Amino acid sequence: MKLNHIIEKIPMRVQTPASNLSVEVTGGYISDLLSDVMAHAKKGDVWITLQIHQNTVAVATLKELAGIILINGKQPAPETIKKAEEEGVPILTSESTAFELICELCKLGISGSR
Amino acid sequence: MAADNTFIQEYSIKGWDFTRAGEASCEIKNILKQIGVSQDVIRRVAIASYEAEMNVVMYARQGTMRCEIDTTKIKITIEDEGPGIADIDQAMQEGFSTATPEMREMGFGAGMGLPNIKRNSDGCEVTSVVGKGTKVAMSFNL
Ligand SMILES: Nc1ncnc2c1ncn2[C@@H]1O[C@H](COP(=O)(O)OP(=O)(O)OP(=O)(O)O)[C@@H](O)[C@H]1O
Ligand SMILES: [Mg+2]
């Protein structure tokens, strides 16, 4: 499923209009620990996190993640948005908690199976 | 390419510069993509080089990342000037970390970096002199 299709179904705000929203999402991973994401996230995953700083962008780029979703109404730092637009990494924000958001993603068929 | 068909590129890494952290690893990844290295090797190199680069950013004053590619393997060597590691066996254990509370708040300090390097490389050697610096040499078979 494409990221822009998910955005149509689940209320989220796009923080990086210049990034590629037609990227294919093949799964999801949730963690606030960067090395844990390096170890366990898979190419094509959306990454759900509370981390708003710019180092998330390098992780998403290196792992070829489909995008980053910040939860609980967290806002990305301005440098994070800038870097994400440079690298073409979509950043979305959601008011939901991690659990609520994952339930919604599951309904759309996004799974976390490894 | 050098005369002996070895590609060599070196990057510098600045300690505590979180704004540029990860750039050297991203550049190496782009090179590997361009020369058509397999997806699996690219994925493993990206993980291991990133972890080593971040350790220089987090713990050392400065360092270099050297990437050597020949027809049989990729060698990545990260050498830094910094505090060094007193007990390497302990540092290699999953969960061991001396990251500060600030770093942990940013999601660093899971103590997974060195284990990630070991797991994803085909060979890795960590050597260190306390008070001088640390060298992480890793290789990936092509
Ligand atoms: N280049 C280095 N210079 C000095 N100490 C280091 C260096 N690399 C690692 N260490 C020491 O080894 C410990 C373990 O490193 P490792 O990368 O496995 O975990 P971490 O950096 O603490 O956390 P994470 O990588 O999960 O964010 C560090 O906390 C630090 O004490
Ligand atoms: Mg580390």
Side-chain angles (χ1 to χ4, degrees), chain A residues 4-80:
Chain A
N4 43 21
H5 185 75
I6 294 174
I7 298 164
E8 280 166 23
K9 301 277 181 194
I10 303 175
M12 281 191 277
R13 286 176 78 137
V14 179
Q15 303 286 341
T16 51
S19 62
N20 175 21
L21 299 176
S22 60
V23 60
E24 194 69 28
V25 177
T26 51
Y29 194 71
I30 167 165
S31 181
D32 296 327
L33 296 172
L34 275 62
S35 291
D36 177 56
V37 176
M38 285 310 287
H40 300 298
K42 280 206 159 66
K43 180 179 175 176
D45 278 352
V46 278
W47 174 17
I48 295 158
T49 184
L50 290 167
Q51 295 292 353
I52 62 165
H53 61 82
Q54 60 183 332
N55 291 99
T56 55
V57 179
V59 171
T61 305
L62 285 164
K63 294 293 290 186
E64 301 181 36
L65 304 182
I68 301 170
I69 306 179
L70 302 180
I71 46 167
N72 290 8
K74 291 262 180 191
Q75 289 298 305
E79 321 82 78
T80 310

Side-chain angles (χ1 to χ4, degrees), chain A residues 34-35 51 53 62 64 83, chain B residues 19 29 51 105-107 116:
Chain A
L34 275 62
S35 291
Q51 295 292 353
H53 61 82
L62 285 164
E64 301 181 36
K83 193 140 204 160
Chain B
T19 63
K29 182 176 178 184
E51 295 291 4
E105 216 161 276
M106 291 171 75
N116 275 352

Side-chain angles (χ1 to χ4, degrees), chain A residues 35, chain B residues 50-52 54-56 58-59 97 108-114 117:
Chain A
S35 291
Chain B
Y50 174 80
E51 295 291 4
M54 288 316 303
N55 281 351
V56 176
M58 289 200 283
Y59 306 109
S97 177
F108 298 109
M112 290 179 72
L114 292 172
I117 294 172

